[in-house]
Amino acid sequence: MNEPRVQVGILSRERIDFVLHGSYHADTIPVSGRQTAILDQGRIRWGGTLCDELLFTPDDEATDAFDLLQVTIGIGFHWERHEDQRFRGALRLLVEDGRLTAVNIVPVEAYLTSVISSEMSATASPELLKAHAVISRSWLLANLQHKTAAPLPTHEDVEGGRLVWYERDAHTRFDVCADDHCQRYQGITRASTDAVRQAVAATRGQVLAYEGRICDARFSKCCGGALEEFATCWADTSHPYLRRKRDWTSAGLPDLTQEAEAERWIRSAPDAFCHTTDAHILRQVLNNYDQETTDYYRWRVEYTQEELADLVRRRSGTDYGGIVDLVPVARGTSGRLWKLRIVGTKRTAVIGKELEIRRTLSPTHLYSSAFVVDKTGGCTPEGLPRRFVLTGAGWGHGVGLCQIGAAVMGEQGYAYDAILRHYYPGATLEKKYE
Ligand SMILES: [Zn+2]
Ligand SMILES: [Zn+2]
């Protein structure tokens, strides 16, 4: 296998302005400088021609680059804005869903250097960066390989409710998009750091594999001390390398699927790699560390009866009436709930899985679904609890690599392959190309 190329969907609109630096070819026609392509009756108008697809290939991939003008970044976020972005590799224009779409065709290693530079802090340790490079490459190559896999069912009805989970929809006309939906990619606009370039080069071609297949290398911010299994968050299948494990050297892990053990675990703060408040380490993983709260190894959220009833109604689209209780029904191996019963005055139902529970009980997302519930403040005149206190552990789904834990391991001198072996037990490193 040679180093593959990845097709990254960058933007879609009616008109695309771009600048080719160096010398490019469209078919056999040499072309450079400022260009405009316009959607015209479902086809692409470029100069005097009307066509269905256009490919601009650089004569020298190492030095030629193109700019896309006024790319929208941070779509849907308060910091949404437009900026010009520069890319290496080829530019493909096509029409998808009635919109003109720009696709960057770029070698995998260059893509990874860009993605990791924008995702990871420049202060991250070399071993953490290498571990991330392997994970991102595994995700990408698995994506290229299994593109045609049939979409999984995404819900399952249970007694009195529905379990929902979310898988990324595959793109059809390109491999990945440039947004957070896949991995954030901004071309070579942002200077990639030396540290990232070295980490990508040092692991060139390496992926995590299990029995010959590239691993589904999931990761999240902070496991909360124990790793979660795949089926708690997504379809009911198991990956042997995503399994129950303490995020720590050797100490055992209680059976957190048992309510009493989960409660003891969540209400205490056991030793774990990710149990840290070291600002130097947290800054490696959390880009906006200084603006964020840092109490996510163990955290607490409090709602009044009115707040919770209103929140659940808005977020679930179902009117439960007043909230009588939130009852844990099933927990995964990290103590994360994947079934929760909401007992209301008008309706009672079980919801899940992990992400659905986090979305329903927060205006955005709860840090995790590993929580226990206390009803405090006595009762309202109607006999409902006045306050609900959620005490929780970890941030994110907890499956696979724990970013905070991996950052701590990197600082403690663990090599990237040891970090990967810890979080993906049984998986091996394989070099797919030189
Ligand atoms: Zn995407
Ligand atoms: Zn952890």
Side-chain angles (χ1 to χ4, degrees), residues 152-156 163-168 216-220 228-239 242 336-338 352-356 358-359 396-401:
L152 297 159
T154 54
H155 69 83
E156 175 191 330
L163 302 183
V164 183
W165 61 98
Y166 302 87
E167 275 293 356
R168 194 185 288 113
D216 192 342
R218 309 268 164 157
F219 62 91
S220 66
E228 190 48 73
E229 286 180 326
F230 187 84
T232 299
C233 308
W234 300 285
D236 197 16
T237 53
S238 80
H239 296 292
L242 298 175
R336 281 171 175 76
L337 284 163
W338 62 278
K353 293 184 172 182
E354 172 264 348
L355 185 57
E356 192 67 2
R358 291 166 59 198
R359 286 184 174 176
H397 53 65
V399 178
L401 181 135

Side-chain angles (χ1 to χ4, degrees), residues 74-351:
I75 296 168
F77 290 95
H78 66 276
W79 45 274
E80 178 173 323
R81 64 178 187 275
H82 301 290
E83 65 172 30
D84 299 346
Q85 291 192 348
R86 181 160 295 186
F87 301 87
R88 202 153 272 163
L91 170 65
R92 188 171 152 223
L93 298 178
L94 51 88
V95 180
E96 194 195 27
D97 297 333
R99 282 151 70 89
L100 185 56
T101 300
V103 176
N104 180 203
I105 305 175
V106 60
V108 160
E109 301 291 317
Y111 168 80
L112 290 173
T113 303
S114 166
V115 162
I116 295 167
S117 295
S118 65
E119 263 180 13
M120 301 287 292
S121 153
T123 62
S125 71
E127 298 305 309
L128 177 64
L129 289 174
K130 284 187 221 167
H132 248 283
V134 172
I135 291 173
S136 290
R137 190 181 295 104
S138 303
W139 173 84
L140 182 67
L141 294 189
N143 211 298
L144 300 185
Q145 225 169 58
H146 309 309
K147 254 184 91 63
T148 54
L152 297 159
T154 54
H155 69 83
E156 175 191 330
D157 291 321
V158 294
E159 207 178 328
R162 172 169 278 197
L163 302 183
V164 183
W165 61 98
Y166 302 87
E167 275 293 356
R168 194 185 288 113
D169 309 323
H171 297 287
T172 50
R173 302 292 302 279
F174 43 84
D175 302 316
V176 294
C177 69
D179 290 324
D180 289 338
H181 173 263
C182 288
Q183 299 192 73
R184 194 182 309 167
Y185 172 65
Q186 300 172 325
I188 52 174
T189 316
R190 306 258 177 288
S192 55
T193 62
D194 272 345
V196 170
R197 262 195 301 277
Q198 284 164 18
V200 171
T203 61
R204 182 181 168 85
Q206 289 180 11
V207 296
L208 277 175
Y210 187 85
E211 291 179 348
R213 265 178 83 90
I214 299 176
C215 292
D216 192 342
R218 309 268 164 157
F219 62 91
S220 66
K221 282 278 191 292
C222 173
C223 72
L227 304 186
E228 190 48 73
E229 286 180 326
F230 187 84
T232 299
C233 308
W234 300 285
D236 197 16
T237 53
S238 80
H239 296 292
Y241 50 86
L242 298 175
R243 65 167 175 241
R244 170 182 190 273
K245 188 175 180 181
R246 177 101 174 240
D247 187 10
W248 191 233
T249 42
S250 56
L253 178 66
D255 181 358
L256 302 180
T257 64
Q258 299 302 309
E259 192 55 32
E261 294 288 3
E263 176 144 11
R264 204 174 2 252
W265 177 261
I266 291 167
R267 289 192 195 279
S268 60
D271 285 335
F273 282 122
C274 54
H275 186 184
T276 180
T277 52
D278 183 333
H280 168 69
I281 289 173
L282 297 176
R283 226 172 251 124
Q284 297 182 17
V285 177
L286 309 174
N287 269 331
N288 303 312
Y289 167 74
D290 294 317
Q291 288 94 61
E292 297 189 42
T293 52
T294 56
D295 50 346
Y296 42 72
Y297 186 70
R298 291 296 177 269
W299 48 264
R300 190 184 146 95
V301 169
E302 211 172 318
Y303 296 120
T304 64
Q305 169 66 230
E306 296 72 30
E307 283 168 347
L308 184 63
D310 179 58
L311 190 60
V312 170
R313 182 170 49 245
R314 277 190 295 120
R315 299 291 281 167
S316 68
T318 302
D319 186 3
Y320 286 80
I323 304 298
V324 179
D325 208 350
L326 299 173
V327 185
V329 177
R331 293 185 187 270
T333 57
S334 72
R336 281 171 175 76
L337 284 163
W338 62 278
K339 280 186 187 173
L340 172 76
R341 181 176 295 113
I342 302 177
V343 182
T345 52
K346 293 184 181 170
R347 183 187 153 91
T348 291
V350 170
I351 63 164

